[in-house]
Amino acid sequence: MKIPTACVARGRPREFDTDKALAAALSVFWAKGYEGASMADLTEAMGITKPSLYAAFGNKEALFTKALDLYQREKLAYVSEALKAPTARGVAEHFLRGALEIYSGEKCRGCLTVIGASACGDEAEGIREEVVARGAAAKQALLERFERAKQDGDLPANVDPQGLAAYLTAVLQGMSVQAGAGASRSELEQLVEICLATWPGA
Amino acid sequence: MKIPTACVARGRPREFDTDKALAAALSVFWAKGYEGASMADLTEAMGITKPSLYAAFGNKEALFTKALDLYQREKLAYVSEALKAPTARGVAEHFLRGALEIYSGEKCRGCLTVIGASACGDEAEGIREEVVARGAAAKQALLERFERAKQDGDLPANVDPQGLAAYLTAVLQGMSVQAGAGASRSELEQLVEICLATWPGA
DNA sequence: GGTTATATATACCGAACGTTATGAAAATTC
DNA sequence: GAATTTTCATAACGTTCGGTATATATAACC
């Protein structure tokens, strides 16, 4: 009994590593945004030609979506990790310190989700909606975590979980904006400290 | 003795109001960002043709700069107003409520300064630097105000004015991002309330 | 009225954009 | 080894971009 060999590659084998190429594409999108990254920028960074890119990834929009998946999987892993913290303050601390680590990188500064959510040309509207939807999902997860925290008596009675989720999200987004504007890591760190020092209920 | 009449218009008079045209251009830039706003978008909204635009405003970059001036003069007037508040908390409150008013507009959402600071194509790098510089100036003014507040004993001894300025700026920037992502006014308002409720020293 | 100066409208420019047709190269299958 | 299938490299596609040349219209000056 033989396993059918139809699954092995049939034609000429691909000469590049799609994972490495996708990682390179992510760097370009991260640094320049969706519209700011031209196909020429992408193919140069990925080390492949345009037909190879189209054959492997579909088109620019599909490439961006795949890069966004990679970004969430690798760089935003701290998000799901932070939600597991035992207290609301612990969640906030994990969020802020994790974001600080990612946003203040050497080459890519800020958060791809925030960069991609910026208003740009009409043809990128679909991209914007996609990015905004993913951001909204993260904010929703944070809201549910804070609602649970309030039930646990982990938050003062007068604080609104919805507002708190929007507030923490805003601080993170603002951190991304400042990182993109060239703020140093220590400047962002001060920001984190203030936010933690004034966290409701200690 | 006659005043020389050389100052009156000599050729064919302009058929449009440059102030109104600039206001229309500002709306387009505000909604779509610098690169997202095409010359076709701009001329249509301004109700003039491309040669008229170039004759009156120079080029796209100069038009954006003039629109940015108008934006700061008209929409960001609350900034200099807020800095005059007697206490640091009052400054923050004026800032947050003023921003809430501007960012949650009907057509244009978020802050043009935050939108313009987003990474985009290489040729818009000059624009980005200009916008970032203006944002840095505002942050600097806030820093100086908080330093004075600390001297006045208006802030707890353990808070760092630099961090506090970066922190408040971040909340405002985050508010802009969420407004741009479609957050309702009440959502932004909750955010403001949390920030004020947790403001250092009450 | 003739001259001069400015504004308008149409049409066009070269460059860059995302995308694809075309043919040669390299692997498997028979 | 011939047929087949997929990838690669070059070059081109049509469109849109920001910006302009040209010609005509409309005002003030003399």
Side-chain angles (χ1 to χ4, degrees):
Chain A
M1 184 173 179
K2 251 177 64 177
I3 294 171
T5 55
C7 57
V8 298
R10 275 247 292 184
R12 175 176 175 173
R14 183 172 281 134
E15 291 181 359
F16 63 94
D17 184 337
T18 54
D19 289 337
K20 287 183 181 175
L22 184 59
L26 170 57
S27 289
V28 178
F29 281 130
W30 199 349
K32 300 192 162 196
Y34 175 72
E35 290 201 316
S38 71
M39 296 302 290
D41 292 333
L42 290 164
T43 52
E44 189 188 0
M46 299 164 83
I48 63 177
T49 61
K50 283 197 268 186
S52 297
L53 191 157
Y54 277 85
F57 299 102
N59 60 8
K60 189 182 181 183
E61 190 161 346
L63 176 63
F64 182 81
T65 302
K66 289 181 172 68
L68 204 54
D69 289 336
L70 176 62
Y71 178 74
Q72 286 196 302
R73 198 176 334 120
E74 293 209 341
K75 306 294 175 181
L76 262 44
Y78 73 88
V79 170
S80 51
E81 205 61 35
L83 290 169
K84 296 177 191 161
T87 65
R89 194 185 187 285
V91 171
E93 181 160 6
H94 270 84
F95 253 92
L96 289 164
R97 299 209 187 281
L100 175 64
E101 217 60 44
I102 301 296
Y103 294 179
S104 61
E106 192 67 25
K107 282 194 58 183
C108 304
R109 318 200 36 95
C111 175
L112 179 58
T113 309
V114 175
I115 294 167
S118 298
C120 262
D122 294 334
E123 72 264 9
E125 187 60 26
I127 292 290
R128 222 190 103 254
E129 288 173 5
E130 167 78 22
V131 174
V132 166
R134 297 199 189 201
K139 191 169 157 186
Q140 179 66 24
L142 198 56
L143 166 59
E144 288 167 8
R145 179 65 187 82
F146 284 157
E147 275 172 344
R148 186 157 65 81
K150 188 154 188 184
Q151 286 176 0
D152 297 349
D154 187 20
L155 282 173
N158 60 329
V159 307
D160 172 33
Q162 179 125 17
L164 193 59
Y167 162 77
L168 180 57
T169 304
V171 174
L172 292 163
Q173 289 164 337
M175 195 159 87
S176 168
V177 172
Q178 291 185 34
S184 70
R185 188 196 159 96
S186 71
E187 287 181 89
L188 302 180
E189 210 158 6
Q190 290 175 315
L191 192 168
V192 168
E193 296 309 323
I194 297 270
C195 184
L196 287 175
T198 60
W199 188 259
Chain B
M1 185 171 177
K2 251 177 70 179
I3 294 172
T5 55
C7 57
V8 299
R10 275 250 290 183
R12 173 174 174 176
R14 184 172 281 135
E15 292 182 359
F16 63 93
D17 183 336
T18 54
D19 288 338
K20 286 183 181 173
L22 185 59
L26 170 57
S27 289
V28 177
F29 281 130
W30 199 348
K32 300 190 162 196
Y34 176 72
E35 291 202 317
S38 71
M39 296 303 291
D41 291 332
L42 290 164
T43 52
E44 188 188 1
M46 299 165 82
I48 63 177
T49 61
K50 280 199 275 183
S52 297
L53 190 156
Y54 276 85
F57 299 102
N59 60 9
K60 188 182 180 183
E61 191 162 344
L63 175 63
F64 181 81
T65 301
K66 290 181 173 67
L68 203 54
D69 289 335
L70 176 62
Y71 178 74
Q72 285 196 303
R73 197 176 337 120
E74 293 209 341
K75 306 294 177 182
L76 262 44
Y78 72 88
V79 170
S80 52
E81 206 61 34
L83 290 170
K84 296 177 191 161
T87 64
R89 194 186 187 284
V91 171
E93 181 160 6
H94 271 84
F95 254 92
L96 289 163
R97 300 210 188 280
L100 176 63
E101 216 59 45
I102 301 296
Y103 294 179
S104 61
E106 191 67 26
K107 281 193 59 184
C108 303
R109 315 196 44 89
C111 175
L112 178 58
T113 309
V114 175
I115 295 167
S118 298
C120 262
D122 294 334
E123 72 265 7
E125 187 59 26
I127 292 291
R128 223 189 103 256
E129 288 173 5
E130 168 78 22
V131 174
V132 166
R134 298 201 189 200
K139 191 168 154 186
Q140 179 66 25
L142 198 56
L143 166 60
E144 288 168 8
R145 179 66 187 84
F146 284 158
E147 275 173 345
R148 185 159 65 83
K150 190 156 187 184
Q151 287 177 0
D152 296 350
D154 187 22
L155 282 173
N158 61 329
V159 308
D160 172 34
Q162 177 125 18
L164 192 60
Y167 162 78
L168 180 56
T169 303
V171 174
L172 292 164
Q173 288 164 337
M175 196 160 86
S176 167
V177 173
Q178 291 184 34
S184 70
R185 187 196 160 95
S186 71
E187 287 181 89
L188 302 180
E189 209 157 6
Q190 289 176 314
L191 191 169
V192 167
E193 296 310 323
I194 297 270
C195 185
L196 288 175
T198 61
W199 187 258

